[in-house]
Amino acid sequence: MTSETADLALQQLRNTIDNIDTALVCLLAERFKTTQTVGELKAQYQLPASDPEREAQQVARLRQLAENAQLDPDFAERFFSFVVSEVIAHHKRIASSLETD
Amino acid sequence: MTSETADLALQQLRNTIDNIDTALVCLLAERFKTTQTVGELKAQYQLPASDPEREAQQVARLRQLAENAQLDPDFAERFFSFVVSEVIAHHKRIASSLETD
């Protein structure tokens, strides 16, 4: 492969990455809308912001899905922890805003 | 809403979250397959593992996409940094395995 062909190949791969990232951002937006509603329900019924049993089930499921999809299961778990820590921070903010209202 | 209706609503929201997570894992798997190929190209042509200019463009694009999708742009940027740091670690491993082969 010449250096020019490599540049073209790199550009095409980057276009694919950009398309995948667009889809990821849209899915994350929908995920946060859904967890926002969960947070409101939890705050209204005074349920705890985090639920370790549910989280353990999600981790096990996502690790299996990752393996089937040829994604490193450890990465999938780190990704999940990253998203969940953000969600829990949101839930706590929702709960404290209800307390002060 | 009764407590039972709230439980049912929570379960339905969790089913949606699980479906979104399945899609996220599959997209992340495809993203890593694509960046794996980028890493191999970069290693073969001795290009640096990270590319700050490309990354700055990606961050700006993703922040805008996040805003359009009603996702916190700061979260989108943190998510991107999280994924990119993993990709760069992969690229370095590919480059060092080529050096030692």
Side-chain angles (χ1 to χ4, degrees), chain B residues 63-84:
Chain B
R63 288 187 68 93
Q64 186 59 59
L65 280 169
E67 214 159 302
N68 297 349
Q70 287 132 19
L71 178 70
D72 175 2
D74 292 336
F75 171 74
E77 184 166 347
R78 285 198 296 279
F79 165 74
F80 179 72
S81 300
F82 171 79
V83 172
V84 164

Side-chain angles (χ1 to χ4, degrees), chain A residues 2 10 20 26-27 43 50 77 79 82 84-85 90 92 100-101:
Chain A
T2 66
L10 185 61
I20 292 172
C26 290
L27 280 169
S50 72
E77 185 167 346
F79 165 74
F82 171 79
V84 165
S85 64
H90 281 203
K92 287 184 179 161
T100 54
D101 275 353

Side-chain angles (χ1 to χ4, degrees), chain A residues 1 6 14 17-18 21-22 27 29 31-33 45 51 54 61 69-70 75 78-79 82 86, chain B residues 1 6 14 17-18 21-22 27 29 31-33 35 45 51 54 61 69-70 75 78-79 82 86:
Chain A
M1 200 187 286
R14 285 177 163 178
I17 291 166
D18 286 346
D21 283 347
T22 301
L27 280 169
R31 195 188 197 284
F32 274 98
K33 285 182 199 171
Y45 289 87
D51 182 340
R54 155 84 174 151
R61 197 182 78 90
Q70 287 133 18
F75 171 75
R78 284 197 296 280
F79 165 74
F82 171 79
E86 190 82 17
Chain B
M1 200 187 286
R14 284 178 164 175
I17 291 167
D18 286 346
D21 284 346
T22 301
L27 280 169
R31 194 187 197 284
F32 274 97
K33 286 183 199 172
T35 53
Y45 288 88
D51 182 339
R54 155 83 174 150
R61 197 182 77 91
Q70 287 132 19
F75 171 74
R78 285 198 296 279
F79 165 74
F82 171 79
E86 190 83 14

Side-chain angles (χ1 to χ4, degrees), chain A residues 65-92:
Chain A
L65 280 170
E67 213 159 301
N68 297 348
Q70 287 133 18
L71 178 69
D72 176 2
D74 292 337
F75 171 75
E77 185 167 346
R78 284 197 296 280
F79 165 74
F80 179 72
S81 301
F82 171 79
V83 172
V84 165
S85 64
E86 190 82 17
V87 168
I88 290 172
H90 281 203
H91 286 187
K92 287 184 179 161

Side-chain angles (χ1 to χ4, degrees), chain A residues 29-45:
Chain A
E30 290 306 309
R31 195 188 197 284
F32 274 98
K33 285 182 199 171
T34 313
T35 53
Q36 169 88 13
T37 310
V38 168
E40 287 161 3
L41 259 184
K42 283 183 168 181
Q44 200 184 341
Y45 289 87

